[in-house]
Amino acid sequence: MMLSAGIVLPALAAETYTPGKPVQAKFKDLALPFLEQHCFDCHDNDTQKGDLNLSELTAVDETNAATWKSVWAQIALEEMPPKKQDQPEVIDRLRFSDWIVGELQRVMKDKGGFHAHLDPKKANFISHDLLFGKLPEGIKLTPTASPARIWRVTPQEHITRLNELINTEPTYDPRKPGLRTHGDAVPTNHGGELKLYFGVDNILRWEGGTVAYATSVKSVPVVLSSARKVGLKNYPDFYTVNSAEATQILGKAEDILQFMAYGPLSLVGMKEQITDDPKTYDKVKPKGDLRGLPTAIVYSTKVLRPLTPLHDLMKEPQVTDTRLRAAVDYLFEALTFRPPNKAESDNYLQIVKDSIAKVGKEDGVFMGLSSIFLDRDALFRHELAETGKPDEHGRVMLQDWELGLAVNHALRYIKPDEPLRQAILEGHMKTREDVQREVTRMLADESIRKPRVLQFFRDYFDYDLGGYICKDTKALAGTGISLRGDGHYGAMFDATASTDRLIELVLAEDKNVLKELLTTQRVVATKTDNIYFGRKLTKEEQAAAVAAKKKAEAEEEQKEAARLQAMKAEVAALEAKLKDNPDDKAAQKSLAQQSKLLAAAEKRADNEKKARKRGGGGNTDIAIANLTGPPTEARVSRPSFGAGSMKPERILATAPAGERLGILTHPAWLVSQSDAMDNHAIHRGIWIRERLLGGGIPDVPITVDAQLPVEPQSTLRERMRVTKAKYCWTCHQKMDPLGLPFEMYNHAGLFRTTELDKPVDATGEIINSGDPALDGPVKNALEMIQKLAESQRVEQVFVRHAFRFWMGRNETLNDAPVLKAAHAAYRNNGGSMKALITSLLTSDAFLYRKVERAAKTAAK
């Protein structure tokens, strides 16, 4: 049955469309008429565009699920039907899309399920114009709520909880806001590892080299994993805790508990290693090679860890229920962020007592308390809304500890501070006003650290991946970077810490936050950044630099030769003088001194000559940036590798004018969006399309070989000609013109004007952005970024990503009022991130949960 164009679908056409309500319709009543009217012209037996024949497509089943998923993506993204053809009514498109998702969920229920619509990368499949514009007649929104759920804590949150047990972090110092402070997340070390270190603040010295130190220091690596490397990572249904992780947690729990009880004494092989005078250890130090052994390290006697009820318990020989319960209750709240109820306290107390009865106090206490590390609330945060009265829409508002911990988790990685804790205990965390009060208080207090806010920007910008991009050594050298070994990767981890600090400086000002991050000329930099923010010289400039270097070296060699000749002459004169007068003491002394000076000068000259042969003595590939400015500090990890540990010292500088504009032109972001050999213009274009324009890209068809030709003599733009093939360009036109403007930088993030000795072509175009004012050609990345930074649509897309991060789910049409209110709060308060967060955390989407119990009650 072929329907003529313009006929309204008969199935359910007159009904009101309610987003989220299951579409109860059969394939022949809804899907088939839609396909006949809008799809068969291009995808029937005769045409089969894209090798796709939909006329043979039947009702959704597990064998054709992949095809239906593709249809869903094309319909939701409004890619099908083509723009030049008649378009379905908005409600028809929405209803058909919902029907496909519902059917895929049904047929795939026992086959791993269908979750694509819940993936944050698919969140842009919801029409931006419907979320922020006027809805067509016939769409009826219902008050929003998030589903009841439990969240597994993130790796960052888990390791920070454990850090609280064994390390004492400094209190906030307003004079040095960039330095590490209690409540900050545990940062990665110089090698990009997220680890928790035991007692490093106590270390006075170590035997052997840096490797000896590194292999001797005890650490807790992150156990809970995040499979996702880019974008939003903290959705409730992404992760659980498997048995292997639970086993690792138990294994590390005992190490942590022993350190809580005994400090460095739990780490050493000899008690003499605990001393304030490291020289005393030399008298008793074991003979032999200590490298890699615990006996390589000397610790001070200072107590630099929290002293807890566990320390008090193990300090005394006797065991009492009072001390045991104090240890149980302390550890439970430290790990779950709430005090145990009587049943929980009694249960864990009995577990510890049973363990002591079996293996004695020493091992029994640690064995029994380790079980708390696997408590549900130590690894998950629940929002089940099991108490509270459902409203007329079947929604239950979070209450008490669930609400308080939801607010706490929105900003922090450590347990609630005392005002929030008391508010929960006294029953003052039950209303929207209660949440407004606590969120406003915490956001206003700079001493209350809020690492979740910084994590949002890491997830949003993806600037923290550069140190993990394994660069080909030859390709990296071709960029002009002279760093060898691990130098480049260390520089990238430093760059991440620097970008963290820059974002926090912008957040502290809290004015036009997104625009400022996209357009700032400020740079938080290390000395190494003078290279990365430099300019790659052209072939002619390199030749001139090499010639100038050789000339300078030749002149310096002549001067050095003259100095050496003069010194040799002086030595010869002294030798002649002594020959005539062997007993001249003054001449003997002078000869000895001058001979030493001559030997040192000759050695220095020889070393400089060897260095010149190795290519040392200045970089002839790069015009080094002159980054200067006042000092600042970035938060870095605790000492982790001796001399290789990261240093906090930075400067707040200004990027070279006309070459950089905001975070998207900083090496941290550029390298994060590259690969081993080159830039990745396609990924950069996808980033711009999804994160700033709110567009979506369908998954790459399995029939496509998504590889560029290997042509070392061709530029990346030239090799990307293959993406302009008709079959590819439908999608690539959304990406390539947005990513290619960043070709003004090479894959180490250096600014350049030539590539392969050809002038760099950094032109691009914004196409089908959804905002006609944005569309059009751009001459380079700076012009494109400036246009995007001025766009209200880009602001709204930013708000959508903030919603996903803080709600832990994708937005729906029912969330449109929440998104509009959040954007209004942001814009009306001068681009304030605090206002945006407050609006989101006091919204119905954050406060209410939909639970099956409540839905049944409301239905009655």
Side-chain angles (χ1 to χ4, degrees):
M1 179 181 65
M2 176 69 76
L3 301 180
S4 60
I7 297 178
V8 179
L9 296 179
L12 311 176
E15 292 184 12
T16 298
Y17 172 72
T18 304
K21 184 178 179 181
V23 178
Q24 303 293 342
K26 295 181 179 180
F27 169 76
K28 65 181 180 63
D29 296 327
L30 188 145
L32 183 58
F34 189 100
L35 294 172
E36 288 178 333
Q37 183 175 357
H38 299 294
C39 306
F40 285 179
D41 283 350
C42 299
H43 301 285
D44 60 8
N45 290 318
D46 297 327
T47 51
Q48 298 191 40
K49 287 188 177 180
D51 294 326
L52 179 64
N53 182 1
L54 295 180
S55 66
E56 297 179 356
L57 188 62
T58 59
V60 182
D61 58 41
E62 59 186 275
T63 61
N64 62 20
T67 300
W68 275 110
K69 180 182 175 182
S70 178
V71 171
W72 164 68
Q74 296 292 327
I75 292 295
L77 289 171
E78 300 182 17
E79 297 292 330
M80 190 172 72
K83 302 296 182 188
K84 295 180 180 180
Q85 295 190 8
D86 290 340
Q87 298 297 305
E89 297 292 331
V90 171
I91 290 178
D92 290 338
R93 185 186 293 275
L94 291 171
R95 183 177 284 120
F96 184 42
S97 176
D98 286 354
W99 179 86
I100 296 173
V101 170
E103 289 296 290
L104 286 170
Q105 287 178 304
R106 179 181 62 80
V107 302
M108 299 302 292
K109 184 177 181 180
D110 298 325
K111 308 293 188 301
F114 177 75
H115 308 285
H117 61 301
L118 303 177
D119 190 306
K121 286 187 66 66
K122 301 295 192 294
N124 287 348
F125 283 28
I126 300 291
S127 167
H128 187 86
D129 292 336
L130 291 180
L131 288 170
F132 288 92
K134 185 178 180 181
L135 291 174
E137 292 290 333
I139 297 180
K140 181 181 179 181
L141 301 184
T142 58
T144 188
S146 293
R149 64 253 181 117
I150 61 172
W151 293 31
R152 197 207 69 181
V153 300
T154 64
Q156 295 85 358
E157 184 177 3
H158 188 238
I159 205 89
T160 305
R161 290 190 188 197
L162 301 183
N163 183 61
E164 287 283 286
L165 298 174
I166 63 174
N167 289 313
T168 301
E169 302 288 3
T171 56
Y172 175 72
D173 184 350
R175 297 169 299 176
K176 297 181 178 181
L179 291 179
R180 287 193 63 181
T181 297
H182 181 234
D184 288 330
V186 176
T188 55
N189 64 17
H190 68 289
E193 300 169 304
L194 184 58
K195 284 186 174 180
L196 178 62
Y197 295 94
F198 289 87
V200 291
D201 290 344
N202 283 90
I203 295 176
L204 298 180
R205 91 172 203 206
W206 60 89
E207 301 294 328
T210 301
V211 173
Y213 169 87
T215 54
S216 301
V217 174
K218 204 168 192 177
S219 66
V220 176
V222 65
V223 174
L224 303 181
S225 60
S226 288
R228 291 167 180 264
K229 303 303 180 186
V230 299
L232 301 180
K233 308 172 186 69
N234 188 26
Y235 272 28
D237 32 348
F238 276 1
Y239 310 109
T240 183
V241 179
N242 60 45
S243 59
E245 290 172 330
T247 301
Q248 291 181 67
I249 291 169
L250 274 180
K252 294 301 180 182
E254 191 158 339
D255 289 338
I256 292 171
L257 291 168
Q258 287 184 350
F259 189 83
M260 291 173 66
Y262 306 125
L265 275 172
S266 68
L267 307 175
V268 301
M270 301 172 61
K271 65 179 181 180
E272 288 84 3
Q273 290 175 250
I274 311 295
T275 175
D276 291 323
D277 181 7
K279 293 181 180 179
T280 62
Y281 183 55
D282 292 334
K283 302 174 183 177
V284 297
K285 184 175 64 179
K287 293 182 180 181
D289 192 349
L290 303 182
R291 290 177 295 179
L293 301 177
T295 46
I297 300 180
V298 179
Y299 295 88
S300 75
T301 62
K302 294 180 181 178
V303 178
L304 299 176
R305 71 189 191 283
L307 294 182
T308 70
L310 179 60
H311 168 266
D312 299 336
L313 171 66
M314 301 309 290
K315 183 172 62 174
E316 302 295 337
Q318 69 275 16
V319 177
T320 66
D321 279 8
T322 300
R323 284 200 183 280
L324 279 180
R325 190 179 293 277
V328 164
D329 291 354
Y330 172 85
L331 189 61
F332 186 94
E333 183 162 0
L335 291 171
T336 70
F337 290 1
R338 64 173 179 83
N341 56 41
K342 188 175 185 307
E344 290 166 331
S345 180
D346 289 345
N347 182 47
Y348 282 116
L349 176 63
Q350 191 60 50
I351 290 174
V352 178
K353 291 172 73 172
D354 290 345
S355 297
I356 293 173
K358 290 178 181 178
V359 298
K361 177 190 175 183
E362 183 69 21
D363 294 329
V365 167
F366 300 136
M367 183 188 301
L369 290 177
S370 293
S371 61
I372 303 178
F373 284 75
L374 293 181
D375 187 89
R376 180 196 69 174
D377 291 2
L379 300 175
F380 295 89
R381 184 171 54 80
H382 61 84
E383 295 175 355
L384 301 175
E386 292 175 324
T387 61
K389 184 179 180 181
D391 65 10
E392 65 273 23
H393 305 288
R395 308 178 306 164
V396 179
M397 185 172 177
L398 295 177
Q399 300 282 306
D400 303 321
W401 279 105
E402 282 192 328
L403 182 56
L405 291 181
V407 169
N408 186 71
H409 175 265
L411 302 175
R412 315 185 74 195
Y413 287 153
I414 61 175
K415 65 184 180 181
D417 65 352
E418 195 55 30
L420 178 55
R421 186 177 188 276
Q422 286 302 314
I424 299 169
L425 290 173
E426 294 169 4
H428 297 150
M429 281 302 289
K430 296 181 181 295
T431 67
R432 196 185 311 271
E433 292 70 28
D434 290 336
V435 174
Q436 175 98 27
R437 178 194 67 240
E438 294 302 319
V439 170
T440 302
R441 175 185 66 81
M442 288 191 284
L443 287 175
D445 189 344
E446 290 300 317
S447 68
I448 297 177
R449 311 305 275 185
K450 296 167 273 285
R452 278 274 291 165
V453 179
L454 180 61
Q455 187 63 46
F456 163 69
F457 285 96
R458 279 192 167 202
D459 286 2
Y460 177 70
F461 279 109
D462 280 332
Y463 60 82
D464 56 341
L465 309 173
Y468 305 101
I469 305 295
C470 186
K471 290 292 184 182
D472 175 82
T473 303
K474 184 178 179 180
L476 183 62
T479 66
I481 293 298
S482 57
L483 297 177
R484 295 295 179 262
D486 295 332
H488 166 72
Y489 304 103
M492 288 298 101
F493 292 124
D494 264 329
T496 294
S498 296
T499 306
D500 285 346
R501 182 69 189 127
L502 176 62
I503 288 173
E504 289 182 333
L505 291 172
V506 172
L507 287 174
E509 297 160 358
D510 203 32
K511 294 294 182 184
N512 297 314
V513 169
L514 177 61
K515 181 179 179 180
E516 182 63 21
L517 291 174
L518 290 175
T519 62
T520 183
Q521 287 296 109
R522 288 179 289 179
V523 176
V524 174
T526 65
K527 291 181 180 179
T528 306
D529 286 317
N530 286 312
I531 297 174
Y532 284 91
F533 278 87
R535 177 175 63 84
K536 183 74 161 61
L537 297 177
T538 65
K539 185 177 181 180
E540 294 74 21
E541 290 172 325
Q542 289 178 37
V546 169
K549 179 184 176 184
K550 288 182 177 179
K551 181 180 179 182
E553 288 174 349
E555 292 175 350
E556 186 57 36
E557 285 181 7
Q558 289 179 349
K559 292 179 182 178
E560 186 65 29
R563 284 193 292 267
L564 288 175
Q565 189 61 38
M567 294 177 74
K568 290 177 180 178
E570 186 172 352
V571 169
L574 288 169
E575 289 174 340
K577 184 177 181 180
L578 279 172
K579 186 176 182 181
D580 295 337
N581 189 2
D583 296 327
D584 188 337
K585 302 295 184 183
Q588 291 176 358
K589 185 176 180 180
S590 294
L591 177 59
Q593 290 176 340
Q594 289 302 317
S595 296
K596 286 183 179 180
L597 291 174
L598 175 59
E602 288 177 328
K603 185 176 181 180
R604 182 173 61 251
D606 185 57
N607 289 337
E608 290 175 353
K609 185 176 182 179
K610 290 178 180 177
R612 286 192 290 271
K613 285 185 177 180
R614 293 193 303 266
N619 193 320
T620 58
D621 293 331
I622 299 174
I624 305 297
N626 182 26
L627 299 179
T628 60
T632 187
E633 308 91 6
R635 270 182 296 288
V636 298
S637 68
R638 290 172 173 273
S640 58
F641 212 72
S645 297
M646 295 173 70
K647 304 296 189 296
E649 290 78 16
R650 304 285 196 277
I651 60 169
L652 181 59
T654 301
E659 297 180 5
R660 309 278 175 170
L661 191 68
I663 286 178
L664 302 188
T665 65
H666 288 192
W669 189 85
L670 293 166
V671 177
S672 293
Q673 313 297 324
S674 70
D675 61 26
M677 304 293 292
D678 209 339
N679 288 332
H680 209 312
I682 296 171
H683 280 180
R684 291 174 180 176
I686 291 173
W687 193 96
I688 298 293
R689 176 65 62 180
E690 292 181 343
R691 308 290 175 89
L692 296 181
L693 296 177
I697 308 293
D699 294 336
V700 179
I702 59 174
T703 57
V704 173
D705 180 16
Q707 299 290 329
L708 299 181
V710 178
E711 298 173 353
Q713 75 284 0
S714 299
T715 67
L716 178 62
R717 184 184 286 266
E718 290 169 343
R719 290 190 290 126
M720 285 176 59
R721 66 184 180 275
V722 296
T723 67
K724 291 191 175 181
K726 186 176 182 181
Y727 182 61
C728 303
W729 190 241
T730 301
C731 289
H732 274 275
Q733 66 178 331
K734 300 179 180 181
M735 309 177 262
D736 298 6
L738 298 174
L740 286 167
F742 292 98
E743 287 301 284
M744 60 194 293
Y745 310 98
N746 66 26
H747 66 98
L750 277 74
F751 178 75
R752 64 182 178 182
T753 56
T754 61
E755 179 185 6
L756 297 177
D757 302 327
K758 307 171 187 177
V760 164
D761 182 357
T763 59
E765 186 175 6
I766 302 175
I767 301 171
N768 295 329
S769 67
D771 179 359
L774 281 177
D775 290 348
V778 293
K779 63 181 180 181
N780 57 31
L782 306 187
E783 182 178 326
M784 181 174 69
I785 290 170
Q786 193 67 61
K787 289 182 69 174
L788 293 169
E790 300 290 340
S791 168
Q792 177 173 285
R793 181 186 178 91
V794 171
E795 270 186 5
Q796 292 169 342
V797 174
F798 174 72
V799 169
R800 291 180 68 173
H801 281 83
F803 176 96
R804 295 168 203 169
F805 180 85
W806 271 284
M807 302 306 145
R809 64 173 178 84
N810 292 347
E811 63 271 34
T812 70
L813 280 184
N814 289 322
D815 296 307
V818 172
L819 292 165
K820 291 176 182 176
H823 179 240
Y826 178 79
R827 172 158 281 224
N828 294 341
N829 287 278
S832 165
M833 196 67 196
K834 291 179 180 177
L836 170 58
I837 294 172
T838 302
S839 178
L840 289 174
L841 298 188
T842 54
S843 70
D844 282 8
F846 184 83
L847 298 176
Y848 285 91
R849 297 292 172 269
K850 270 284 184 72
V851 294
E852 188 175 344
R853 165 186 59 83
K856 291 179 179 178
T857 303
K860 293 178 180 180

